[in-house]
mmCIF file of all heavy atoms in Angstrom:
data_model
loop_
_atom_site.group_PDB
_atom_site.id
_atom_site.type_symbol
_atom_site.label_atom_id
_atom_site.label_comp_id
_atom_site.label_asym_id
_atom_site.label_seq_id
_atom_site.Cartn_x
_atom_site.Cartn_y
_atom_site.Cartn_z
ATOM 1 N N LEU A 82 -21.667 250.611 16.935
ATOM 2 C CA LEU A 82 -20.393 251.328 17.061
ATOM 3 C C LEU A 82 -19.680 251.298 15.734
ATOM 4 O O LEU A 82 -19.148 252.318 15.257
ATOM 5 C CB LEU A 82 -19.523 250.712 18.144
ATOM 6 C CG LEU A 82 -18.179 251.470 18.327
ATOM 7 C CD1 LEU A 82 -18.402 252.673 19.214
ATOM 8 C CD2 LEU A 82 -17.112 250.560 18.892
ATOM 9 N N VAL A 83 -19.653 250.178 15.058
ATOM 10 C CA VAL A 83 -19.000 249.967 13.789
ATOM 11 C C VAL A 83 -19.644 250.905 12.721
ATOM 12 O O VAL A 83 -18.969 251.384 11.830
ATOM 13 C CB VAL A 83 -19.014 248.499 13.332
ATOM 14 C CG1 VAL A 83 -18.569 248.310 11.898
ATOM 15 C CG2 VAL A 83 -18.163 247.651 14.267
ATOM 16 N N CYS A 84 -20.942 251.157 12.848
ATOM 17 C CA CYS A 84 -21.647 252.016 11.920
ATOM 18 C C CYS A 84 -21.436 253.515 12.208
ATOM 19 O O CYS A 84 -21.810 254.365 11.340
ATOM 20 C CB CYS A 84 -23.138 251.743 11.950
ATOM 21 S SG CYS A 84 -23.537 250.132 11.265
ATOM 22 N N ASP A 85 -20.825 253.861 13.318
ATOM 23 C CA ASP A 85 -20.504 255.246 13.662
ATOM 24 C C ASP A 85 -19.500 255.797 12.619
ATOM 25 O O ASP A 85 -18.433 255.170 12.437
ATOM 26 C CB ASP A 85 -19.937 255.339 15.057
ATOM 27 C CG ASP A 85 -19.654 256.747 15.538
ATOM 28 O OD1 ASP A 85 -19.274 257.598 14.691
ATOM 29 O OD2 ASP A 85 -19.791 256.968 16.722
ATOM 30 N N PRO A 86 -19.781 256.862 11.931
ATOM 31 C CA PRO A 86 -18.877 257.355 10.901
ATOM 32 C C PRO A 86 -17.505 257.826 11.473
ATOM 33 O O PRO A 86 -16.532 257.913 10.742
ATOM 34 C CB PRO A 86 -19.565 258.575 10.299
ATOM 35 C CG PRO A 86 -20.654 258.921 11.291
ATOM 36 C CD PRO A 86 -20.974 257.682 12.060
ATOM 37 N N ASN A 87 -17.368 258.009 12.817
ATOM 38 C CA ASN A 87 -16.134 258.373 13.399
ATOM 39 C C ASN A 87 -15.310 257.172 13.895
ATOM 40 O O ASN A 87 -14.188 257.328 14.414
ATOM 41 C CB ASN A 87 -16.358 259.299 14.614
ATOM 42 C CG ASN A 87 -16.950 260.622 14.191
ATOM 43 O OD1 ASN A 87 -16.625 261.132 13.117
ATOM 44 N ND2 ASN A 87 -17.807 261.161 15.020
ATOM 45 N N CYS A 88 -15.838 255.988 13.660
ATOM 46 C CA CYS A 88 -15.186 254.769 14.144
ATOM 47 C C CYS A 88 -14.353 254.109 13.008
ATOM 48 O O CYS A 88 -14.865 253.907 11.911
ATOM 49 C CB CYS A 88 -16.274 253.792 14.639
ATOM 50 S SG CYS A 88 -15.595 252.247 15.316
ATOM 51 N N TYR A 89 -13.114 253.748 13.289
ATOM 52 C CA TYR A 89 -12.263 253.041 12.368
ATOM 53 C C TYR A 89 -12.517 251.538 12.345
ATOM 54 O O TYR A 89 -12.084 250.838 11.431
ATOM 55 C CB TYR A 89 -10.804 253.278 12.671
ATOM 56 C CG TYR A 89 -10.314 254.666 12.393
ATOM 57 C CD1 TYR A 89 -9.675 255.430 13.365
ATOM 58 C CD2 TYR A 89 -10.417 255.235 11.139
ATOM 59 C CE1 TYR A 89 -9.164 256.684 13.121
ATOM 60 C CE2 TYR A 89 -9.914 256.539 10.844
ATOM 61 C CZ TYR A 89 -9.310 257.254 11.845
ATOM 62 O OH TYR A 89 -8.838 258.494 11.598
ATOM 63 N N ASN A 90 -13.179 250.991 13.362
ATOM 64 C CA ASN A 90 -13.478 249.566 13.377
ATOM 65 C C ASN A 90 -14.391 249.189 12.214
ATOM 66 O O ASN A 90 -15.321 249.922 11.934
ATOM 67 C CB ASN A 90 -14.131 249.113 14.711
ATOM 68 C CG ASN A 90 -13.195 249.290 15.878
ATOM 69 O OD1 ASN A 90 -12.960 250.378 16.336
ATOM 70 N ND2 ASN A 90 -12.690 248.140 16.370
ATOM 71 N N MET A 91 -14.145 248.038 11.600
ATOM 72 C CA MET A 91 -14.935 247.581 10.478
ATOM 73 C C MET A 91 -15.808 246.408 10.763
ATOM 74 O O MET A 91 -16.763 246.140 10.055
ATOM 75 C CB MET A 91 -14.019 247.247 9.297
ATOM 76 C CG MET A 91 -13.258 248.489 8.797
ATOM 77 S SD MET A 91 -12.033 248.070 7.464
ATOM 78 C CE MET A 91 -13.108 247.528 6.183
ATOM 79 N N VAL A 92 -15.483 245.708 11.809
ATOM 80 C CA VAL A 92 -16.268 244.499 12.219
ATOM 81 C C VAL A 92 -16.514 244.532 13.727
ATOM 82 O O VAL A 92 -15.788 245.154 14.476
ATOM 83 C CB VAL A 92 -15.577 243.185 11.818
ATOM 84 C CG1 VAL A 92 -15.404 243.065 10.313
ATOM 85 C CG2 VAL A 92 -14.210 243.084 12.482
ATOM 86 N N VAL A 93 -17.589 243.830 14.117
ATOM 87 C CA VAL A 93 -17.858 243.769 15.531
ATOM 88 C C VAL A 93 -16.814 242.987 16.280
ATOM 89 O O VAL A 93 -16.058 242.211 15.678
ATOM 90 C CB VAL A 93 -19.270 243.122 15.794
ATOM 91 C CG1 VAL A 93 -20.376 243.949 15.179
ATOM 92 C CG2 VAL A 93 -19.318 241.718 15.261
#
Side-chain angles (χ1 to χ4, degrees):
L82 183 82
V83 170
C84 291
D85 183 327
N87 294 326
C88 183
Y89 289 125
N90 294 76
M91 295 176 65
V92 296
V93 297

